[in-house]
Amino acid sequence: MTRRTNLLKSLDWWTILLYALLVFLGWVNIYAAVYNEGHQSIFDISQRYGKQLLWIGAAGFIAIIILIIESKFFSAFAYPTYLFMLLLLISVLIFGRDVKGARSWFEFGAIRFQPAEFAKFATCLAISRYVTQYNFKIHKIKSLFISSLILFTPMALIVLQGDAGSALVYSVFLLVLYREGLSGIVLFLGFLAALLFIFTLLWSKLTILLLILSVSLIAAKLSGLKWKNFGLGILIMGAFSSLIWITGKILNLHFSSYFIVIVSMVLCIIPFLFFTYKQKLRNVAWIILISFCSLFYSFSVGYIFSNVLEQHQRTRINELLGIESDPYGAGYNVAQSKIAIGSGGFTGKGFLNGTQTKFKFVPEQSTDFIFCTVGEEWGFVGATVVLLLLLTLILRLLILAERQRSSFSRVYGYGVACILFFHLAVNVGMTLGLAPVIGIPLPFFSYGGSSLWSFTILLFIFLRLDANRLELLR
Amino acid sequence: MNNFSNRIYVIAGIFILVVLVFIIRLLNLQIIDESYKLSAENNSQRQVTQFPARGLIYDRNGKLLVYNQAAYDLMIIPRQVKQFDTIDLCNLLGIDKKDALKQIAKAKKYSYRKASIFLKQLSSERYAVLQEKLYKFPGFFVQPRTLRKYPRQSAAHALGYLREVNNKEMKNDSYYSQGDYIGKSGIERTYEKELRGEKGVEIFWVDVYNRIKGSYKDGKFDKPPVSGKNLYSTLDIGLQEYGELLMSNKKGGIVAIEPNSGEILAKISSPAYDPEMFVGRAMNQNYKRLVQNDSLKPLFDRSMMALYPPGSVFKLINALIGLQEKVITPATRFECHNGYHVGNFTMKCHSHASPLDLIHSIQLSCNAYYANVFRSILEYPKYGSVQNGFKVWRKHVLSFGFGNKLGADLPNELNGFIPTTDYYKKKYRRENWRALNVISLAIGQGELLITPLQMANMVATIANRGYYYIPHIAKYFGDGELIDAKFMKRKQTSIDSVYYKPVIDGMEEVISGGEGSTGRLAAIPGIRVCGKTGTVENPHGDDHSVFVAFAPRENPKIAIVVYVENGVWGARYGAPIAGLMIEKYLRGEISQSKKWLEKRMIEADLIHKKKE
């Protein structure tokens, strides 16, 4: 009995309150999104809001069960849970049901459930467990390899299911690892890669080449390279270029100018790297290496884009970047979503008065595009409040994570916060036309049992761990 | 262990930054950029045009000539079209898939946002079936229209027809949008504005499947349609039908006018066509057939557009001008020896007694008499020159409404042609051409061109002894509104009314003057008919038969012109047909003694005979 009161006392009620508020607001908006005059009872389980009430009830039940379980259990059973989820992910590939081109659902009669949603908390537990093992060193190759393996295995299985959106969620663990000591350069490189990817699609090869060259030259100069050496470099490169050009002429080969520039740069970089190494200009060597890699990456992006990605993914990215525009075809969802949100104005059209959502102009409005209903019916005020509530919850989780004595709990807490953030960023970004259309739910808002339960489990395991924050888990 | 705990600020910073970007984006979407609100309105509102019923058309006795029947156009808004079962739709409509795709492509080419017609004029039965399933085809909706229906297969030229508006008409008048109908000829065209009424509009909320979800703001912005006005025309449909019957298998035209009002009683162009041919989906096909493949040109309105020289009928005008200018009196006599001879010049005439006075010159239609009269006018010393004399003559002619459109309320009226001194100056390449150069004008030949309508108006003018009302075909509208006041205004000719008497005497002699009278076949027992025959020289075949008449002599009720192409002489077809028409109009039936003539006229075939 004392234990129970202890637990109730040590729970973070602010988080629970935010959670309850968000789930309630989510339900209200689902009601508005699927509302029609024929079914007005909120308990009508033939309608989505009726069903969502059932899911919410079940989520409460799940939360209570999690809170009853000993917190040691979660670290002890992290790996078995993880392995069990991997098993589910594999079996869904075999026994699952195709829904909209993705084989990611189990179906038991009327009940469907999506293992990818539950793989999130399992992976989060496993990575927390591994990172806090005594022999884990963040920059050891072996440690990096195993933690990558823990992340990439579920990711690959989910990609195989045809649900690339859910797989992308795992990339957010980069932030968690960053907190645990991963070099900031990795984050920076990740950021650079994303930026370069977009630039490559938007701009011509020549522009990219000039951009990379000028950025790296400035960086090299700042790192202490002398003007004299610049001149030397350019001289050497010019020599190589003309050599290749003359060779091409003699052998009657038609080299493109890109080819000449790139090959001469490669040839030029080798002696230069050697030179900088000798001169102890390590930074300059790094800059040369990074810019060379970016160049290579940038030129291979085109290949990746047209050969690795699927057509619908390509068009979604092109739509987002404004390269293609087809507001009645591929861009329909986002165009309608922006119209719905944009028409909301400052205070919105009012509960149940959103014409764009009520008359179904916005697709998937109770699941992926639920934020449209918020934007249209509650306007700028409502949408901002919802965003701030979610942000507050996530920031609260970060604060809670930092107060853990046990690093397992801290890493897990960061995992939860980062996963919620990724969903928020991609989902809302998509409805606002700032992110490509990736079908992942808005936490606590989107309709669906699997996602609600998955976020509930994710959150409440952390709350359970937090209740024992003064204990050291091993 | 906690040596990296500062990194919470980096991570939290990223989170806050992203949410901040979102809030700025929301600010832009929801508050700064207004265009999304408009798009939302466009998305969810549908303006449904409410078409007014087009006005009905009645004849002068209140008999129904044109009414409406319901039809349904299936419309398409390409922007709203989603994936749908093409085969299913084609089966419902009974059309080819190929045609369906072609229509969709055409609609897209016209506009993505505006409605265009997918399939015209569905029957009520198909419409009933389609309506049930329309929800399966977003982007499609049904627009009710009214089609014209004709209880009598008559008066097609006068009534005119409707056609879909073309791009030019839509550009000129923003009232029209694609698929609308507009009056293209006849009454339908002249009185388009009155007949069409005003379109209304109803605004609805629609969902993404284009299903109506209720009235927009409780109909506050709706506008009910205003029905078109009913029109009572001046036509006597009984007379019109009788005229068409008499003209069967003949080319030509008849125009009958009530002299004391200018109301057109009948307006016949033969061969005629069934007005129903220009209604419904077969219209374009029928139109092509009538325009391209029919050598008789049934669409050509001969009563208004055929330009003929007036022939001997024009002698009446020359007589009146001669009297007015006092170059002759009713007693003036001219000799005629089978023609008019001056030096080498000869104008032939048939053999008759000589000399003749004015009345008998009309009765016997003497060419020489009018050559003398005409020459006397032109060479009258008072004017100084032939050219000045001609100008005086021309002014009188124009006062009868010749040479210019009369201004009737019918489209496609033509000017006709009365030559000018300048015209002859060019033609003869000298200023001072002589009266003999233009002497054929004396007998209504030469360069003169006059439409049957103008000719009918001339007869009405003579019947009125000197004035006319602009001929018109609309009497008043259903709501009591009168037609244009210009039709009520008396137009005076430049001939004093006293000079009409001798001419009318002559015209009466033409019918009932005994031996040599050219129009005896137009006589009606018990009615004093006045008339004049004419023959229009036709270089391409048999001459055309012309006859003008009015009756009764005192207080005339009807003035009529009959043109029968290739009818040889005015006496042969023109006179009998005119007589029968007058009798039909004044008495309502044909007397027993003339039944044989009626039968002969109806049966006469001047079209197919020639082909053999």
Side-chain angles (χ1 to χ4, degrees), chain A residues 79 126-133 136 142-143 146-147 150:
Chain A
Y79 290 144
I127 196 85
S128 310
R129 182 94 167 89
Y130 180 72
V131 167
T132 49
Q133 268 171 4
F136 176 82
K142 190 188 164 201
S143 296
I146 291 181
S147 40
I150 291 173

Side-chain angles (χ1 to χ4, degrees), chain A residues 259-420:
Chain A
F259 178 85
I260 295 174
V261 171
I262 288 168
V263 170
S264 52
M265 268 176 73
V266 170
L267 292 174
C268 175
I269 276 165
I270 294 165
F272 225 77
L273 273 179
F274 185 70
F275 167 76
T276 50
Y277 184 73
K278 249 179 85 180
Q279 298 280 314
K280 306 229 160 85
L281 287 165
R282 278 193 149 214
N283 282 340
V284 177
W286 272 113
I287 287 163
I288 291 170
L289 212 62
I290 288 174
S291 52
F292 183 64
C293 286
S294 333
L295 211 59
F296 180 75
Y297 166 77
S298 159
F299 281 80
S300 56
V301 158
Y303 176 82
I304 295 169
F305 187 70
S306 49
N307 291 291
V308 179
L309 291 186
E310 286 179 36
Q311 182 56 47
H312 71 276
Q313 293 165 334
R314 272 200 293 278
T315 40
R316 279 172 183 179
I317 291 170
N318 283 340
E319 275 287 340
L320 180 72
L321 297 180
I323 297 167
E324 276 176 37
S325 180
D326 180 11
Y328 302 115
Y332 177 80
N333 294 5
V334 174
Q336 292 298 334
S337 163
K338 277 153 77 179
I339 289 172
I341 294 173
S343 69
F346 186 66
T347 52
K349 298 177 186 169
F351 183 51
L352 300 185
N353 285 332
T355 54
Q356 304 303 297
T357 45
K358 199 163 71 179
F359 299 148
K360 301 186 174 50
F361 288 100
V362 183
E364 306 289 345
Q365 54 198 316
S366 59
T367 55
D368 295 345
F369 283 90
I370 188 74
F371 195 69
C372 295
T373 315
V374 181
E376 189 184 12
E377 296 196 342
W378 305 103
F380 177 72
V381 174
T384 309
V385 164
V386 166
L387 281 179
L388 290 179
L389 281 177
L390 278 164
L391 181 67
T392 311
L393 174 68
I394 292 167
L395 293 178
R396 176 83 193 152
L397 289 178
L398 289 184
I399 293 165
L400 292 188
E402 284 296 337
R403 74 180 186 187
Q404 302 302 313
R405 239 191 115 195
S406 142
S407 21
F408 172 79
S409 306
R410 183 185 63 236
V411 178
Y412 183 79
Y414 265 92
V416 175
C418 289
I419 289 172
L420 291 181

Side-chain angles (χ1 to χ4, degrees), chain B residues 199-219:
Chain B
K199 284 192 278 194
V201 66
E202 246 181 284
I203 309 171
F204 296 105
W205 288 116
V206 291
D207 69 4
V208 69
Y209 307 110
N210 217 10
R211 285 183 297 211
I212 289 176
K213 287 289 182 179
S215 182
Y216 174 73
K217 303 213 166 146
D218 295 323

Side-chain angles (χ1 to χ4, degrees), chain B residues 239 242 246 521-522 524 575-585 590 594-595 597-599 601:
Chain B
L239 185 66
Y242 186 62
L246 290 173
L521 284 175
I524 307 164
I577 289 175
L580 289 165
M581 288 287 283
I582 291 170
E583 191 175 4
K584 177 80 179 174
Y585 181 68
I590 304 301
K594 287 188 76 179
K595 282 286 181 193
L597 190 62
E598 180 187 38
K599 185 166 176 281
M601 285 303 118

